[in-house]
Amino acid sequence: MTKLDCRTRLLEVGTQLFAERGLYGVSIRELSQAAGVSISMVSYYFGGKEALYAAVLQEQFSCFDQIDNLRKPGSEPLSVLEAYLRWTLQRHRNNPHLLRFYTSELTNPTCFFASIVSPAISKIIRVLTEVIEEGIRQGLFREEIHAVNASLALAGMVNYFFISLLATENLISHSPEQDELLVQQYLLIFTHGIIKQSQ
Amino acid sequence: MTKLDCRTRLLEVGTQLFAERGLYGVSIRELSQAAGVSISMVSYYFGGKEALYAAVLQEQFSCFDQIDNLRKPGSEPLSVLEAYLRWTLQRHRNNPHLLRFYTSELTNPTCFFASIVSPAISKIIRVLTEVIEEGIRQGLFREEIHAVNASLALAGMVNYFFISLLATENLISHSPEQDELLVQQYLLIFTHGIIKQSQ
DNA sequence: GTCTATATTGCGATAGAC
DNA sequence: GTCTATCGCAATATAGAC
């Protein structure tokens, strides 16, 4: 087994197990056993269990940098919001473990929350807020809307679909084939509401 | 220290610490020390750490039974949804730890998820879904709306406000004084959307 | 009913062989 | 670079004194 394999296998298995049970729910014994390598490899490559967890977390949240791609100069607020929904669904599909870390860190933060997780999340909300403020300024969106509230509402709708998965998989299909329908539903609710317009 | 005090103190401290760090993030040593009782009291009163956790969880989720009070016979769908929002905010205010368990169990489920947490959550979603379906039947809500999607969206909006708290407390006030404003904002977004109606 | 003391297990980390 | 063996410690649980 080459150096790269060993390190990579630990990262992969660490991602899987930490996502399922959190930093304190997994021992490095179990971890190294699942990876098929010696227990000492965790210290050798990462410097300990917490450091391996930090490496996993860092990798998981690296995709959040892409948020800046959503806001191309001159793009309409509404299409940026739609792009955010599609990008978020895709993010969770590409990486089924991401939301576990995201939510686990928000709920039971480790010492890496402040440096890795919090900046990523608050950046997303800040970008969404700016987009919605721009929409209000352009007269597209209601003035009564508080932009931060609306951003949290939009992020909440789409993320909660995945957060609640374990308790709702008997109520609704979570298959990726439904994703385009989901985007349309959330966009419809968020922009027009559920009330039928009688004009 | 009487029997009641000792048991109660362990429950209180357990609620606090398990909420902050999860089942595996807390030891019974630390727990009993924080409660000011002997370490053996955990086994004596509850039968072990996991059993104490289960007792805490059971107590936390008992308030979910009140969901049935929201749906009085003949009440309008829209006012039930408003009552749900208000009730949910109040639930989180009355018990700042509830959402920690809620989210922690959804993300890193323990062996008690299936018996205590999942039924509570899926019942809420089921009730909301029925209310929205009734609204569609009455012609109040759009036919294009998928009732389960909309229920998850509404629950997601209001719960995510608290879930994301640690990453967003510098972006928005989380003071209880804002709660009535929040109810109005979420209701406005959910029922009418953010787009300005030009009729 | 509550304590101290202890048995036992499993943890994270590392020394040293290969 | 990877392993085995082991150290030292903290975990849960419990026996037995009061």
Side-chain angles (χ1 to χ4, degrees):
Chain A
M1 188 164 296
T2 79
K3 166 174 175 166
L4 202 118
D5 272 337
C6 205
R7 221 193 104 98
T8 306
R9 288 179 64 82
L10 280 173
L11 265 179
E12 282 172 0
V13 170
T15 303
Q16 168 92 26
L17 293 182
F18 285 140
E20 282 169 8
R21 271 171 283 149
L23 173 54
Y24 302 112
V26 190
S27 71
I28 56 169
R29 286 185 126 79
E30 179 184 8
L31 221 138
S32 53
Q33 203 166 348
V37 304
S38 159
I39 186 175
S40 53
M41 291 298 94
V42 176
S43 281
Y44 184 77
Y45 281 110
F46 299 94
K49 186 172 83 156
E50 299 220 331
L52 168 57
Y53 179 81
V56 168
L57 213 58
Q58 193 72 256
E59 192 186 66
Q60 289 286 310
F61 279 83
S62 62
C63 63
F64 275 64
D65 296 334
Q66 301 169 357
I67 179 76
D68 290 316
N69 300 343
L70 292 185
R71 228 179 356 170
K72 303 205 177 71
S75 47
E76 293 174 28
L78 212 52
S79 69
V80 177
L81 298 183
E82 181 172 348
Y84 162 77
L85 284 175
R86 210 163 264 129
W87 172 63
T88 301
L89 286 174
Q90 204 51 54
R91 213 168 355 106
H92 295 320
R93 294 307 184 188
N94 289 342
N95 186 351
H97 302 302
L98 173 58
L99 202 70
R100 293 286 188 110
F101 291 102
Y102 181 104
T103 316
S104 168
E105 282 287 335
L106 276 172
T107 308
N108 304 126
T110 68
C111 54
F112 308 110
F113 175 78
S115 56
I116 303 180
V117 181
S118 183
I121 296 179
S122 55
K123 170 150 194 203
I124 304 257
I125 300 300
R126 220 174 301 117
V127 167
L128 288 179
T129 300
E130 286 169 18
V131 170
I132 291 175
E133 277 169 349
E134 173 65 20
I136 295 175
R137 227 176 293 120
Q138 294 183 10
L140 296 168
F141 302 152
R142 301 177 191 278
E143 301 86 357
E144 314 97 272
I145 292 291
H146 185 309
V148 180
N149 280 336
S151 301
L152 289 174
L154 185 64
M157 290 193 319
V158 60
N159 284 313
Y160 187 81
F161 177 80
F162 292 94
I163 292 175
S164 69
L165 190 147
L166 284 181
T168 57
E169 47 195 354
N170 50 338
L171 299 177
I172 190 172
S173 161
H174 285 77
S175 145
E177 291 153 26
Q178 305 281 315
D179 283 358
E180 192 49 38
L181 179 73
L182 271 184
V183 170
Q184 297 309 327
Q185 286 274 308
Y186 289 145
L187 211 55
L188 174 62
I189 292 174
F190 189 70
T191 61
H192 289 97
I194 67 167
I195 288 190
K196 184 186 274 182
Q197 299 298 325
S198 49
Q199 44 199 4
Chain B
M1 185 165 298
T2 79
K3 166 173 176 166
L4 202 118
D5 272 337
C6 205
R7 221 193 103 98
T8 306
R9 288 180 65 82
L10 280 173
L11 265 179
E12 283 172 1
V13 170
T15 303
Q16 168 91 26
L17 294 183
F18 285 140
E20 282 169 8
R21 270 171 284 149
L23 173 54
Y24 302 112
V26 190
S27 71
I28 56 169
R29 285 181 126 78
E30 180 184 8
L31 222 138
S32 53
Q33 204 165 348
V37 304
S38 159
I39 187 174
S40 53
M41 291 298 94
V42 176
S43 280
Y44 183 76
Y45 282 110
F46 299 95
K49 187 173 82 156
E50 299 219 332
L52 168 56
Y53 179 82
V56 168
L57 213 57
Q58 193 72 257
E59 191 186 68
Q60 289 287 308
F61 279 84
S62 62
C63 64
F64 275 63
D65 297 334
Q66 301 169 357
I67 179 75
D68 290 315
N69 300 343
L70 291 185
R71 228 180 354 170
K72 304 206 175 71
S75 47
E76 291 175 29
L78 211 52
S79 70
V80 178
L81 298 183
E82 182 172 347
Y84 162 76
L85 283 175
R86 209 163 265 127
W87 172 65
T88 301
L89 286 174
Q90 204 51 54
R91 212 167 359 106
H92 295 321
R93 294 306 184 188
N94 289 342
N95 185 351
H97 302 301
L98 174 58
L99 202 70
R100 294 287 188 109
F101 291 101
Y102 180 104
T103 318
S104 168
E105 283 287 335
L106 276 172
T107 309
N108 304 127
T110 68
C111 54
F112 309 111
F113 175 78
S115 56
I116 302 179
V117 181
S118 183
I121 297 179
S122 56
K123 170 150 193 205
I124 304 256
I125 300 300
R126 221 175 300 118
V127 168
L128 288 179
T129 300
E130 286 169 20
V131 169
I132 291 174
E133 276 169 349
E134 174 64 20
I136 296 175
R137 228 176 292 121
Q138 294 182 10
L140 295 169
F141 302 154
R142 301 176 190 276
E143 300 86 357
E144 314 96 274
I145 291 291
H146 184 309
V148 181
N149 280 336
S151 301
L152 289 174
L154 185 65
M157 289 193 319
V158 61
N159 284 312
Y160 188 80
F161 177 80
F162 292 94
I163 291 174
S164 69
L165 189 147
L166 283 181
T168 57
E169 48 195 352
N170 50 338
L171 299 177
I172 191 172
S173 161
H174 286 76
S175 147
E177 291 153 26
Q178 306 280 316
D179 284 358
E180 192 48 39
L181 180 72
L182 271 184
V183 170
Q184 298 310 325
Q185 286 274 306
Y186 291 146
L187 211 56
L188 175 62
I189 293 174
F190 189 70
T191 61
H192 288 98
I194 67 167
I195 288 191
K196 184 186 276 183
Q197 301 297 328
S198 50
Q199 46 199 1

